[in-house]
């Protein structure tokens, strides 16, 4: 479990700005569940999803996401993991493989989170930001993500990663505009394996 509490390059929860915000979000909550919900709703609602808002500042590190108040789903998940860890709550990263247009190729990864809650174990949450047709909520133990997988080449990757996948960070660090990222979204073959905490069945 310690891996899901670590400070790291991209989930840099010890950064002063993240520590301060985590303390602020904790102040209005009286238990673990309320703290986790407060962190989730802040990232979902207060951090702009880069493509939705057409923002050309591409972020990756959690502290940069907070500083610029923008990020793709992957970057937003880095910030949420950082805020949760700063509050002593274990959190990791999850991914879905989705159709970009919803009807087949091309495909891309979508980034979200899993948080460990004492009353229900690992619970997935998606802070990408709501809009028409997207309504992600925090309502454990019921899971309400932004997207569901539909066709046979879409999938929920069965793992909880303590750190971002390199294919994700490579894209976010290589490109400088939201359109460049949008045209080069990360993807991974479904048969690719990597070490991660399995999701509970």
């Amino acid at each position: 479990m310690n891996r899901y509490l670590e400070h790291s390059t991209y989930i840099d929860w010890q950064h002063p700005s993240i520590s301060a915000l985590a303390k602020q979000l904790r102040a209005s909550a009286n238990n673990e569940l309320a703290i986790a919900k407060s962190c989730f709703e802040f990232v979902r609602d207060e951090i702009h999803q880069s493509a939705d808002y057409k923002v050309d500042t591409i972020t990756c590190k959690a502290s940069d996401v907070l500083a610029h108040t923008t990020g793709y789903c992957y970057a937003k998940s880095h910030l949420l993991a950082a805020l949760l860890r700063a509050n002593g709550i274990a959190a990791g990263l999850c991914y879905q493989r989705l159709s970009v247009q919803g009807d087949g190729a091309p495909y891309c990864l979508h980034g979200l989170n899993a948080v460990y809650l004492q009353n229900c174990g690992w619970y997935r949450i998606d802070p990408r930001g709501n809009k028409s047709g997207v309504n992600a909520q925090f309502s454990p133990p019921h899971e309400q993500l932004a997207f569901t997988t539909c066709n046979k080449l879409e999938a929920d990757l069965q793992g909880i990663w303590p750190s971002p996948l390199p294919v994700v960070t490579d894209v976010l660090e290589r490109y400088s505009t939201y359109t460049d990222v949008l045209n080069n979204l990360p993807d991974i073959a479904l048969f690719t394996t990597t070490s991660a905490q399995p999701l509970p069945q």
Side-chain angles (χ1 to χ4, degrees):
M1 194 63 74
N2 287 340
R3 294 185 302 161
Y4 300 96
L5 292 166
E6 289 178 347
H7 171 96
S8 62
T9 299
Y10 300 106
I11 305 177
D12 55 340
W13 67 261
Q14 294 175 5
H15 190 280
S17 64
I18 292 178
S19 297
L21 176 59
K23 182 178 180 180
Q24 177 185 332
L25 293 171
R26 182 172 68 244
S28 58
N30 56 12
N31 57 48
E32 177 194 66
L33 210 61
I35 294 169
K37 183 178 182 180
S38 181
C39 293
F40 165 76
E41 290 183 345
F42 176 87
V43 178
R44 184 194 65 185
D45 300 339
E46 303 301 327
I47 304 298
H48 293 162
Q49 205 276 356
S50 299
D52 288 355
Y53 286 83
K54 298 179 171 55
V55 180
D56 277 336
T57 300
I58 303 305
T59 57
C60 188
K61 289 173 59 174
S63 57
D64 289 339
V65 179
L66 181 56
H68 296 287
T69 64
T70 188
Y72 266 87
C73 58
Y74 325 102
K76 293 186 68 168
S77 72
H78 302 168
L79 176 57
L80 179 53
L83 289 170
L84 291 166
R85 292 181 189 186
N87 278 309
I89 300 173
L93 308 172
C94 296
Y95 299 94
Q96 295 174 314
R97 187 179 196 248
L98 302 173
S99 167
V100 174
Q101 302 297 330
D103 57 356
Y107 293 87
C108 71
L109 292 181
H110 170 62
L112 55 150
N113 293 90
V115 56
Y116 190 84
L117 302 172
Q118 295 300 319
N119 291 335
C120 66
W122 285 109
Y123 172 67
R124 291 194 303 172
I125 47 179
D126 192 338
R128 65 98 45 218
N130 289 343
K131 61 178 183 177
S132 178
V134 175
N135 183 29
Q137 299 294 332
F138 182 95
S139 54
H142 173 69
E143 184 179 272
Q144 187 168 334
L145 304 179
F147 305 109
T148 57
T149 56
C150 298
N151 71 55
K152 65 181 180 179
L153 291 180
E154 293 186 323
D156 289 304
L157 273 63
Q158 292 299 296
I160 303 170
W161 284 260
S163 299
L165 293 178
V167 68
V168 168
T169 56
D170 287 351
V171 167
L172 295 180
E173 293 183 329
R174 181 180 306 161
Y175 299 104
S176 58
T177 70
Y178 84 90
T179 51
D180 285 340
V181 175
L182 200 57
N183 291 329
N184 294 277
L185 291 169
D187 190 16
I188 192 169
L190 291 182
F191 58 79
T192 298
T193 58
T194 184
S195 60
Q197 169 73 31
L199 280 169
Q201 299 299 314

